[in-house]
Amino acid sequence: SCASATEVGGSPFSGGSVPAPVTSYTGAMRVTFTSDGYNAFAGFEASYATAAPYTCAASSGSTLAASTGFLSDGSGAYSDSMSCYWIIAPPGAASVTLSFGAFSTEANADLVRVYSCADASCASATEVGGSPFSGGSVPAPLTSYTGAMRVTFTSDGHNAFAGFVASYATAAAYTCAASSGSTLAASTGFLSDGSGAYSDSMSCYWIIA
């Protein structure tokens, strides 16, 4: 019904600049357009896409192979004594970036931990800077440059809060073997000598323009 709604950051939009993508982490969004009595312009077009989150109840313990997705403790307040985790390791990924859209847990008790994994098995992992996360502040985006990440959530036996929603995105690397000599036109990207140890007598380059 959208009877209760919060205007997203940056809204309202007008003029000639294309707004950056806007995301609602509640599963519902309202878009309105109004014009005054003069000076009509060409207007706008926008696309939208939806995604169901990977939740503790439905997918804990899963290795996520999709290049993008959403994680959540679940709808409503989370349960006491929860424990769940996901490994994000899409094939060919050079980086995984996790961005939180909403965050509310019991401070210093109900914890989200984020690890950078050595590989898709995540048998060897290093907790990222700032982790664990709890309380009411939304963490800044977190990136693993190994192409694999583990996210865990645990809660204690009392004081359940609303929980969290996070999106993740991955990117493949431009490697010496695959793209040396290329001019890279994408606005963002990753460079790497390649997987494993590099070879003797290598020489490669990229132009970012």
Side-chain angles (χ1 to χ4, degrees):
S1 67
C2 217
S4 176
T6 302
E7 195 161 8
V8 302
S11 179
F13 306 102
S14 64
S17 298
V18 177
V22 175
T23 301
S24 167
Y25 292 97
T26 65
M29 177 184 284
R30 184 172 71 220
V31 181
T32 70
F33 173 62
T34 57
S35 65
D36 63 10
Y38 55 91
N39 294 338
F41 286 70
F44 69 95
E45 293 182 358
S47 63
Y48 73 88
T50 60
Y54 298 104
T55 63
C56 285
S59 61
S60 177
S62 298
T63 296
L64 309 180
S67 59
T68 60
F70 290 85
L71 308 180
S72 173
D73 59 278
S75 60
Y78 53 80
S79 303
D80 294 332
S81 304
M82 286 189 77
S83 178
C84 59
Y85 76 93
W86 304 266
I87 295 173
I88 306 168
S95 69
V96 180
T97 298
L98 186 72
S99 302
F100 289 91
F103 197 97
S104 177
T105 72
E106 184 182 9
N108 303 314
D110 301 340
L111 307 175
V112 175
R113 295 180 182 271
V114 181
Y115 300 84
S116 179
C117 303
D119 54 37
S121 72
C122 216
S124 175
T126 303
E127 196 161 7
V128 303
S131 180
F133 304 99
S134 66
S137 298
V138 176
L142 306 163
T143 299
S144 167
Y145 292 99
T146 64
M149 175 185 283
R150 183 171 74 223
V151 181
T152 71
F153 175 61
T154 56
S155 65
D156 64 9
H158 52 86
N159 295 335
F161 285 68
F164 67 93
V165 177
S167 63
Y168 75 85
T170 61
Y174 297 103
T175 64
C176 285
S179 60
S180 177
S182 298
T183 297
L184 310 179
S187 58
T188 61
F190 291 87
L191 308 180
S192 172
D193 59 275
S195 59
Y198 54 80
S199 303
D200 294 333
S201 303
M202 285 188 76
S203 177
C204 59
Y205 75 92
W206 304 266
I207 297 173
I208 304 169

